[in-house]
Amino acid sequence: MPTDSTDSPPVRTIRPAAAERLVPTVRDVVGSPEVAVGRPEVLTGAAAMDRPVRWVHVLDGPTVEGMLSGQELVLSTGVGWPPDEELPGYVGALAHAGAAGLVLELGARYRTVPAELVDAGRELDLPLIVLHRRVRFVSITEAVHRRILAAQMQALEVRDSVHDLFTELIRTGAPADHIVHEVARLLHSPVVLEDLSHRVITCSPHGGDIASLLADWRDRSRLAHERGNTGRCVAVVEARGRRWGHLIAVQAPDFPGGADFVLSQAAVALSLDRAASHGADEWLRLSHQQLLDDVVQRRLSGVDALAHRLEATGMTVRDRHLVGVALRPHRSRDGSMKPLDAPAACDAVLAAAGTTGADVVCSQVTLDTPLLLAAVSFPRKHHDPDADVDRIAAHVVAALGVRLDLAAGAVADDVRGLLSSLDEAIELLNLTNTASKPSAGAVVRAAGQELPLLFSRLRDEPQVQEYGERVLGPLLAYDARHGTDLLQVLTAYLQSPGNRTRAAAHSHLSRSVFYQRLAVIEKLLDRSLEDGHTIAGLYSALLAHQQIGTR
């Protein structure tokens, strides 16, 4: 996937007239000035007046066979028609040949419309229009054919524009989500890109309700394919004889040049994007990345919509244990952190989750620093999802061969709880760089971290910010003036207040130097570091201070 995938490439804007159809309908023709002079009256088939008219054909002969190819509006005076008792068969032949409708001009043969003709038109729901005044059939055919040809020329122009658009998208390396967005914009229809197992890779609801669009998507799409995709347009995304998925316009829209043409051009662009992607799971990563980015940035349209998106992506959320997990490379003593190999880490998480029977959505997201975020779904038969998370973590650490910080939120039973679990995992991961220093590879959980979590959630409260500054202010000012590290010494001491030897080791100072600096700290703060209330107050102030500026 190109690194500039968030940039929209410059493309040519296509604005076909919304009211201009590729071909006129029977209603359009009957409402035209050339027909209006004949005082038209619709006798049957009123509900079918929106049938398209591909051509206008004058037919006065007694037979229909071989004269029509479908979607013609037939004009006739009835002069050469068979006897009245044979008219039902004649109308049936018109309907069988696919005629859009029948226009009969009264006067040459009929003064009134034969009842047999009306009955047959009503039974077959064929539009039957009579003209009470004479008209020039040539004027009607010229006007309609002129409009059809003009619309076809417009369709060709639009097709050229569509071709240019997707050629430009291919040239600039537009990612799959942008291509799908452009299709939805052109067709004014919700558009979905799915893989061969009907998992949603990306979609554009085009202003619609994403919850309704994706509700039970995999089942609905599977059934729609089995039934021939009636009511929607589908293009297969494939290249070099290999199929990768389907591009679907849900509402099968009317578009000059054809919605099928737009989808086919987009499918070519998607095929090239897919073929050029790094790794076989690039589309799956795109799907997971978009979903988790929206979760982290709170670009959500509701919990129900999120549940449907998770299900559409392939993660079961109903009647499951749901857990949020976050991880990133372990920060070294000098504060540096190796970059995360996100694709390899995601592959490791997916492989590890598969060994426990879990579904997972996993992607790298960026907050203060890049981290890997995963939403994990365990079947309810798993009585200890925390143990399964530990197994997944151990597998990932072993697979990547690097030291990692890992955190897991509380186990949840619904999607709302999953959101909280993901937030908690992120907060706990941040705490591994502040108050808590777990061993690399161990999964941090809320148990034992309740107070750091509390201050993390209260970090934006002015009283909390003021408290940290007020209590630690003299120490912070001394470090700023003299370039000392008294705050780090206090932090090491508060992590092991009952064992000064261990605290000195954490600070990487000799015991004598460590004790000297503790004495300076006591004098600056005018507090005894032997007092339990003092230790609790300083620890709280330290937590408040550490949260300032963190996410």
Side-chain angles (χ1 to χ4, degrees), residues 114-400:
E116 295 86 349
L117 189 65
V118 176
D119 292 341
R122 184 178 296 114
E123 181 179 351
L124 296 170
D125 198 28
L126 180 74
L128 172 61
I129 300 98
V130 295
L131 303 177
H132 294 280
R133 288 182 178 175
R134 295 188 63 182
V135 298
R136 298 180 67 227
F137 282 178
V138 66
S139 298
I140 298 174
T141 56
E142 285 180 349
V144 175
H145 294 169
R146 190 183 307 117
R147 175 172 175 177
I148 292 172
L149 292 173
Q152 289 175 345
M153 287 299 299
Q154 181 204 17
L156 290 174
E157 293 174 358
V158 170
R159 284 191 172 204
D160 285 343
S161 298
V162 169
H163 177 76
D164 291 346
L165 166 65
F166 287 106
T167 298
E168 184 71 6
L169 293 176
I170 292 170
R171 187 187 67 79
T172 55
D177 56 331
H178 184 66
I179 294 170
V180 170
H181 171 76
E182 285 297 305
V183 176
R185 180 183 66 83
L186 285 175
L187 299 183
H188 301 285
S189 166
V191 176
V192 175
L193 174 63
E194 65 174 23
D195 66 12
L196 295 179
S197 64
H198 306 287
R199 292 181 299 184
V200 173
I201 302 303
T202 186
C203 68
S204 178
H206 192 65
D209 179 15
I210 195 168
S212 299
L213 174 63
L214 297 184
D216 299 317
W217 172 265
R218 299 183 74 187
D219 289 340
R220 290 192 296 113
S221 183
R222 191 175 290 111
L223 289 174
H225 279 282
E226 290 178 358
R227 295 168 181 170
N229 287 308
T230 303
R232 62 183 199 168
C233 290
V234 179
V236 176
V237 181
E238 62 181 342
R240 298 176 182 174
R242 184 176 180 183
R243 243 177 223 209
W244 286 310
H246 310 103
L247 182 63
I248 302 166
V250 176
Q251 296 174 349
D254 188 14
F255 182 80
D260 289 339
F261 180 78
V262 175
L263 289 176
S264 66
Q265 292 291 298
V268 171
L270 289 167
S271 296
L272 293 174
D273 170 72
R274 182 65 179 77
S277 297
H278 301 292
D281 297 322
E282 191 68 20
W283 273 9
L284 184 62
R285 294 193 184 107
L286 169 65
S287 173
H288 289 191
Q289 178 187 345
Q290 289 182 333
L291 198 158
L292 290 177
D293 277 345
D294 286 348
V295 168
V296 169
Q297 302 299 334
R298 286 300 189 263
R299 294 190 295 261
L300 302 172
S301 54
V303 175
D304 289 342
L306 175 59
H308 292 313
R309 287 184 66 186
L310 288 166
E311 294 269 4
T313 304
M315 176 175 165
T316 305
V317 298
R318 284 171 279 193
D319 195 30
R320 307 275 282 196
H321 291 305
L322 307 173
V323 185
V325 178
L327 64 89
R328 65 183 166 206
H330 187 69
R331 194 181 295 276
S332 62
R333 291 177 180 177
D334 62 4
S336 63
M337 184 186 298
K338 292 182 178 180
L340 181 69
D341 185 347
C346 285
D347 290 344
V349 171
L350 291 170
T355 65
T356 67
D359 297 335
V360 64
V361 171
C362 181
S363 176
Q364 179 173 278
V365 298
T366 300
L367 297 173
D368 295 327
T369 57
L371 59 90
L372 202 75
L373 192 61
V376 189
S377 167
F378 295 103
R380 283 288 178 90
K381 65 181 181 181
H382 288 242
H383 300 298
D384 193 355
D386 282 337
D388 285 332
V389 170
D390 289 338
R391 281 192 284 272
I392 292 173
H395 181 100
V396 172
V397 170
L400 296 182

